[in-house]
Amino acid sequence: MTVRREFKEPARCRPDLVIGREELFTAAREQLTRGGSVLLHGPAGIGKSTVLRALAADYGEAARTVLRCSATESESHLPFLALADLFGLVLDEISDKLPAAQRTALESALTGRGESTLQRDGLALRLAVLSALRALAAAGPVLLVADDLQWLDSASAELLGFAARRLGDTPVQLLCAVRTEGQEYDRHLRASPPDTLAVRLNPLSRAQVSALLDHRGYTDLPRSTVREVHRTSGGNPLFALELGRALGENPTPPRPGEPLPVPTSLRALVLSRLDMLSDEARRTLLVASAGARPTLALLHAAGRENAEAETAQAAALGLLATEPEGPAVRFAHPLISAALYAEAPAQERRAAHAALSTAASDPIERARNLALATTGTDPEVAARLAEAAALARDRGAPSVAASLGLLAARHTPPDGVPAPDDRRLQAAEDAITAGEVDLARDVAREVLTRATVPAERIRAWEVVIEAAGQSLGEVDAVFPQALADAGDDPRLLALVHYRLAWRKVIVEGDFAEARQEAAHTAELAARGGDRRTELMALSFQGHTEALMGHPNAPATIKRALKEPQDPYVACHHNGVGAARFRWLLMSDQLPEARSTITALLREVRRRGMVESEVHFQRFLAETELRSGHCGRALDLARESLRLARDSGIGLGASAMLASLAEASGGDVDRALALAREAAEHAEEDGDQMYVSRALAALGHAQLVAGDAAGTVGSLRRVRELEQGLGITDPARGRWQGDLAEALVRVGEPGEAQDVIDVTREHALRLGRESVLAVLDRSEALVRAALGDHEAALSRLTSVQDRLAKLGYGLEEARAAFALARLRTLRPGTVPGPTSYDEAARLFRRCRALPWLRQVDAAAAEGQAQPVAVAQQGPASDALEGLASMERQVAALVMEGATNREIAARLFISVKTVEATLTRVYRKLGIRSRVDIVRLAAGRHAK
């Protein structure tokens, strides 16, 4: 596809934030920092110019001279135009440094005087460009920034390619962008310096498209609409922004089942070749665009007799993707289908849908097309749509069910049975299941404007409350209205009181009151004959009792497991299956917990229950983390977080668990950022329950990062919060051992022992064996700090064995690590190279990379200790050959300083620290901070 020049956004509109491109931006910046060149490539509108400008702004300050050019299609026939853009402003600076023949050829090409051509002045011009770049580089680094290489005039492209291949070690770097499809960038790469890094920009994810739209001010779009923008744009940021703008300018948002409004600008952009099609081929493509999964067989059944020839014609024009092996008819880009449909008159659209309503083999597809072919109300059409919605629900496609349900409501007469609002509320409930909470809330509030029947109003209030998620404080005004609507009906009151029980926990942070409210709800539901609500209430009561360490918890969960059961409650994330899983996990029954949550996750995926899937994915990640499978836990936690960001559900909880997984098996800096993000979400939502869990994750990440003081600060607050909440079961957050260990590190063994004693009392009462083992590990550290090394060693050896038997692989490895450190630091012990082998083996088995790095650092530090007195001289020897700033940064790394701390102490930016470390690694032939410590330790030992 061709993007016309007017679609390029002006530079002032480009944000400094490069959304969705953080990793490739970092890779490109590191390549530039190393002295290499970068070639950005990808399809039209994918964001190459945005990234190019951001990189040029970020890295351009490091160059003495920045040369720029940006070609256009309309000017690509003008020879030497790009060359004039690049060298026109510096010609006076370099002309006297060029040989006469080269200077004459270059001046003639740039000014147009003398009619210079490559045929006549080829060698002189080629050498002139090379000499000009070398002359500029002699005064300092040169950065050449070229956008839209595909429109570069052929003469300029040939000259720049000649020079690029011959620059060698000359400090000239190229930062270029070119529009490509597939592997077309190869020829541009061949004309670039040999060390050029090719970076392809791929389509944005749905979450990234959502962030982009939010950043540009399109913040009120429902998630279902954002999903459609992502699908229609194909993840192309330019197309997504144009669609977002059209939605923002349209006073009436599209209804479910209707296409997005495609602006005229985009229609012209993607349909420029449509006029070359015959009228019949165009009608065939319209039928294909109206179908959900068009095939040649479907087009034939819809009356398009010459579908093969007409689709082949469209494919030759680039409108369809050619798939010789498959029956599907696939548009080259989703936007072509959307634009083609938007361009067609309403009568032709209805005709296409009418044809598909009889041709489609799937009953859901037939019903959808029948609805779109029909105007006004029609009881028969409404009934068929309602049946199709039920079928979609059974198939585990609640989003489709919601869309069909709203279509059914639209075609239901006002006096129909069921009534239109009944069908709207069913659609809203399906939307909740699908994670489309914005759509559900809007539908429910619309129904509330006219509903008078109490049961109908309570049903709508439930959707409004459910759509609020963890932000229950935002719908506080709903509860009195709902209670008034419920009157004295026990069935309706049970529904409202169940929501009030959750409010007690989330908004007020009162577990005791929440437990009583849940018990009252179960009684009301039993009186009203509502078994589903009774089971949900009992499940919630059992969960709160478990967290409180209440003795009735097992009995309550047993009541919730009694027959008759409800299939929905059995697999809901707040239902009885989830309550049983939590109990198993807290009771150290890891294998059974894993099998339980795996089965639940499988079932909610089959049903399309998005919110439950987010939570169960996180629960499975937590189970794997407890078991010491850090790599698997990290993959699951990242997937849960991606799904949470995509759906807008459970963001805080998923960020919290992802932080724990990153701290154990991934990146500690990311763990810190995610924990802070989780805490911010919980604070914003007023979610008292998850504030403490997020801070516990932050404290753990700080401990892994070596920030003991930060850990103490975070976990002291967790201790206060959980005391206020009434949470006494230490198996809930398992932060107590981290707090005790951090307190020992900061010189507070007395407070550490107090934490251990209080927690041990609860753990003994509840039989939490793994918690007791971790507390014993922490107590060993307390004893060692007080000088009783032999007792500490004996305790740690026992702890490691107990944790291994319980299946807590990561905690077992941490005990082995503590044991190794204690043996190394024991008075009179000479550390050997194998002191940490057992800990390293166990951490490696867990794929606990951050902990492995700690083992490496401790081993290096231990080997360096015998000659620590002579550290200054050998350390300096290790840094021979480094520049002054590089030596200072490396020396601070040896002291254990983070990049931020180094930046603060040297009064430079973090980016400068990163760039300096990259040069240090290259000069010393190493790859990481740990290698700097190892190198220094090795020099010390000589």
Side-chain angles (χ1 to χ4, degrees):
M1 288 181 286
T2 300
V3 177
R4 295 176 179 171
R5 189 66 186 173
E6 58 265 30
F7 280 90
K8 299 284 180 130
E9 297 174 72
R12 67 178 183 276
C13 293
R14 296 293 187 183
D16 292 333
L17 177 64
V18 183
I19 293 172
R21 309 297 190 192
E22 292 80 8
E23 288 188 14
L24 67 83
F25 184 87
T26 300
R29 188 179 65 188
E30 289 176 353
Q31 169 74 356
L32 293 169
T33 302
R34 289 191 292 266
S37 296
V38 173
L39 176 68
L40 306 170
H41 66 99
I46 204 67
K48 301 179 297 297
S49 297
T50 301
V51 177
L52 183 86
R53 277 195 279 270
L55 282 169
D58 184 76
Y59 182 74
E61 296 177 1
R64 177 187 178 274
T65 306
V66 179
L67 307 176
R68 301 174 186 269
C69 72
S70 183
T72 63
E73 184 177 12
S74 61
E75 298 168 342
S76 60
H77 66 286
L78 300 174
F80 307 123
L81 184 62
L83 205 65
D85 285 344
L86 292 169
F87 292 105
L89 297 178
V90 296
L91 184 59
D92 292 341
E93 179 183 342
I94 59 174
S95 60
D96 60 346
K97 299 173 185 176
L98 305 181
Q102 295 179 23
R103 180 170 63 250
T104 300
L106 185 59
E107 289 177 347
S108 178
L110 297 185
T111 62
R113 295 191 297 269
E115 298 181 358
S116 177
T117 65
L118 274 179
Q119 287 71 28
R120 193 182 73 186
D121 302 321
L123 181 58
L125 265 175
R126 288 174 173 84
L127 294 175
V129 172
L130 181 58
S131 298
L133 290 171
R134 285 173 173 165
L136 289 168
V142 176
L143 179 65
L144 191 154
V145 182
D147 199 2
D148 282 324
L149 280 186
Q150 74 278 1
W151 302 135
L152 222 64
D153 64 274
S154 58
S156 296
E158 206 286 330
L159 292 169
L160 289 173
F162 175 88
R165 292 189 295 272
R166 290 164 176 79
L167 285 169
D169 294 332
T170 307
V172 176
Q173 297 169 263
L174 272 66
L175 173 57
C176 307
V178 60
R179 182 188 307 171
T180 58
E181 297 291 343
Q183 300 299 313
E184 294 174 9
Y185 72 92
D186 281 350
R187 65 185 179 89
H188 298 284
L189 195 59
R190 288 193 294 271
S192 302
D195 62 349
T196 299
L197 173 69
V199 178
R200 178 168 179 80
L201 276 72
N202 291 312
L204 299 179
S205 68
R206 191 195 305 179
Q208 290 165 347
V209 165
S210 177
L212 177 65
L213 293 170
D214 285 347
H215 184 74
R216 295 302 182 87
Y218 308 121
T219 55
D220 296 327
L221 299 178
R223 289 192 176 273
S224 55
T225 302
V226 173
R227 181 190 63 193
E228 194 62 21
V229 168
H230 176 256
R231 187 196 66 78
T232 304
S233 68
N236 185 298
L238 174 63
F239 298 167
L241 287 172
E242 285 293 308
L243 290 168
R245 181 179 60 78
L247 287 164
E249 294 173 353
N250 190 346
T252 305
R255 293 183 291 185
E258 290 184 345
L260 293 178
V262 180
T264 304
S265 54
L266 284 186
R267 294 188 205 180
L269 177 66
V270 299
L271 299 179
S272 56
R273 286 155 287 181
L274 197 63
D275 291 339
M276 302 173 68
L277 285 174
S278 66
D279 289 343
E280 289 302 311
R282 185 166 179 160
R283 291 191 185 96
T284 295
L285 287 195
L286 176 60
V287 174
S289 71
R293 293 175 296 276
T295 63
L296 288 172
L298 179 64
L299 293 176
H300 277 298
R304 308 311 303 165
E305 298 177 357
N306 298 315
E308 285 90 349
E310 289 159 355
T311 55
Q313 182 187 3
L317 291 171
L319 294 166
L320 294 179
T322 55
E323 293 189 18
E325 302 299 324
V329 175
R330 187 168 63 84
F331 285 88
H333 192 281
L335 188 60
I336 296 175
S337 173
L340 179 67
Y341 188 91
E343 188 81 2
Q347 185 176 354
E348 290 186 17
R349 289 190 215 168
R350 286 196 294 272
H353 286 297
L356 289 169
S357 70
T358 57
S361 59
D362 185 80
I364 292 176
E365 185 64 5
R366 288 199 301 271
R368 185 185 74 88
N369 279 291
L370 178 62
L372 296 173
T374 306
T375 57
T377 59
D378 187 318
E380 184 180 344
V381 171
R384 285 184 58 182
L385 284 164
E387 291 170 4
L391 181 59
R393 198 176 304 119
D394 290 342
R395 288 182 181 178
S399 178
V400 175
S403 178
L404 292 168
L406 291 175
L407 285 172
R410 191 190 311 169
H411 289 286
T412 301
D415 56 351
V417 179
D421 280 346
D422 283 338
R423 286 177 165 154
R424 287 189 181 93
L425 286 173
Q426 178 61 65
E429 290 162 357
D430 287 329
I432 285 286
T433 302
E436 296 178 8
V437 293
D438 295 338
L439 173 62
R441 181 194 58 239
D442 292 346
V443 171
R445 288 207 176 272
E446 180 196 346
V447 170
L448 283 165
T449 60
R450 54 180 173 266
T452 56
V453 178
E456 197 173 80
R457 290 185 62 79
I458 293 297
R459 194 177 174 189
W461 285 129
E462 275 209 289
V463 171
V464 171
I465 296 168
E466 184 76 15
Q470 301 298 109
S471 305
L472 282 181
E474 295 180 2
V475 291
D476 261 350
V478 164
F479 292 103
Q481 299 177 63
L483 284 170
D485 286 334
D488 57 2
D489 186 328
R491 187 184 184 94
L492 298 182
L493 283 170
L495 294 171
V496 181
H497 279 280
Y498 175 71
R499 304 293 174 180
L500 283 168
W502 275 102
R503 186 189 173 281
K504 292 289 184 182
V505 166
I506 292 174
V507 179
E508 298 180 18
D510 192 328
F511 273 73
E513 285 288 328
R515 173 183 174 269
Q516 292 180 12
E517 192 72 70
H520 180 50
T521 299
E523 292 171 6
L524 287 169
R527 269 197 283 140
D530 183 355
R531 181 61 173 165
R532 173 175 292 188
T533 303
E534 182 186 5
L535 289 172
M536 290 293 285
L538 287 171
S539 300
F540 178 61
Q541 182 183 343
H543 179 46
T544 56
E545 288 174 348
L547 294 178
M548 295 168 64
H550 196 285
N552 288 357
T556 303
I557 293 174
K558 198 170 183 179
R559 280 179 63 200
L561 287 166
K562 284 184 179 179
E563 296 292 340
Q565 284 294 311
D566 182 287
Y568 174 82
V569 177
C571 65
H572 191 275
H573 58 277
N574 290 324
V576 64
R580 180 172 177 271
F581 159 77
R582 291 187 185 99
W583 180 258
L584 290 169
L585 192 66
M586 293 168 69
S587 302
D588 299 326
Q589 300 179 58
L590 296 181
E592 194 172 352
R594 182 186 293 107
S595 61
T596 299
I597 198 62
T598 301
L600 287 169
L601 182 58
R602 189 185 307 116
E603 178 62 16
V604 297
R605 281 175 173 165
R606 186 188 71 79
R607 289 171 170 262
M609 297 169 67
V610 173
E611 184 172 7
S612 294
E613 182 182 356
V614 171
H615 290 293
F616 290 161
Q617 186 102 356
R618 189 180 82 251
F619 291 169
L620 181 56
E622 185 175 1
T623 307
E624 298 295 354
L625 197 57
R626 298 272 179 91
S627 304
H629 305 151
C630 298
R632 170 74 172 145
L634 185 60
D635 291 341
L636 288 165
R638 286 175 174 173
E639 176 61 20
S640 173
L641 183 59
R642 184 202 63 75
L643 188 59
R645 292 196 197 285
D646 200 30
S647 63
I649 293 170
L651 275 170
S654 293
M656 176 275 298
L657 201 282
S659 171
L660 291 172
E662 290 284 354
S664 299
D667 181 86
V668 180
D669 286 339
R670 180 163 169 75
L672 290 165
L674 285 168
R676 292 187 176 104
E677 178 187 336
E680 287 172 8
H681 278 300
E683 296 279 10
E684 288 172 5
D685 292 342
D687 185 347
Q688 299 299 310
M689 187 166 61
Y690 264 101
V691 168
S692 65
R693 295 216 63 182
L695 289 173
L698 177 60
H700 180 72
Q702 289 167 324
L703 183 71
V704 179
D707 180 8
T711 301
V712 170
S714 297
L715 297 186
R716 275 176 175 163
R717 188 179 171 205
V718 173
R719 193 181 187 193
E720 293 172 2
L721 285 169
E722 294 205 349
Q723 284 174 346
L725 289 168
I727 295 173
T728 61
D729 193 332
R732 186 239 187 183
R734 297 176 181 263
W735 48 265
Q736 295 85 355
D738 286 347
L739 176 55
E741 184 174 334
L743 286 165
V744 170
R745 291 190 192 182
V746 299
E748 295 287 351
E751 185 181 346
Q753 188 63 56
D754 178 64
V755 170
I756 293 166
D757 292 342
V758 171
T759 308
R760 181 178 283 135
E761 181 182 346
H762 294 300
L764 283 169
R765 175 173 58 84
L766 297 168
R768 304 299 188 229
E769 292 298 326
S770 62
V771 174
L772 289 168
V774 169
L775 292 173
D776 284 350
R777 184 185 69 204
S778 302
E779 190 168 44
L781 300 179
V782 173
R783 293 191 179 188
L786 298 175
D788 192 352
H789 285 265
E790 293 305 320
L793 288 170
S794 175
R795 178 69 62 90
L796 282 173
T797 302
S798 168
V799 164
Q800 184 179 341
D801 291 341
R802 287 157 58 196
L803 288 167
K805 289 175 183 176
L806 288 167
Y808 283 77
L810 184 58
E811 298 295 352
E812 176 195 356
R814 287 182 63 179
F817 186 27
L819 189 59
R821 297 189 78 161
L822 214 54
R823 284 172 175 161
T824 302
L825 298 173
R826 184 168 53 175
T829 300
V830 178
T834 62
S835 301
Y836 291 93
D837 283 358
E838 173 69 0
R841 181 186 70 80
L842 292 173
F843 281 131
R844 197 174 295 112
R845 185 183 68 182
C846 294
R847 280 184 57 192
L849 301 182
W851 288 102
L852 262 177
R853 287 190 280 270
Q854 284 198 39
V855 171
D856 286 345
E861 180 185 353
Q863 292 175 32
Q865 279 178 357
V867 287
V869 179
Q871 194 167 8
Q872 185 61 37
S876 299
D877 293 340
L879 305 182
E880 284 179 0
L882 299 182
S884 173
M885 177 62 73
E886 293 166 351
R887 282 199 303 273
Q888 292 180 67
V889 170
L892 289 171
V893 167
M894 291 175 189
E895 294 178 13
T898 65
N899 286 2
R900 289 189 181 88
E901 290 168 345
I902 294 170
R905 288 172 66 173
L906 297 181
F907 301 100
I908 57 178
S909 69
V910 174
K911 288 180 182 177
T912 302
V913 175
E914 293 169 352
T916 304
L917 276 175
T918 300
R919 292 195 298 273
V920 170
Y921 299 157
R922 185 171 67 247
K923 289 183 178 181
L924 297 182
I926 59 179
R927 293 184 297 178
S928 69
R929 299 167 65 94
V930 172
D931 289 334
I932 294 180
V933 178
R934 284 175 172 164
L935 180 63
R939 294 293 181 94
H940 297 164
K942 291 182 181 178

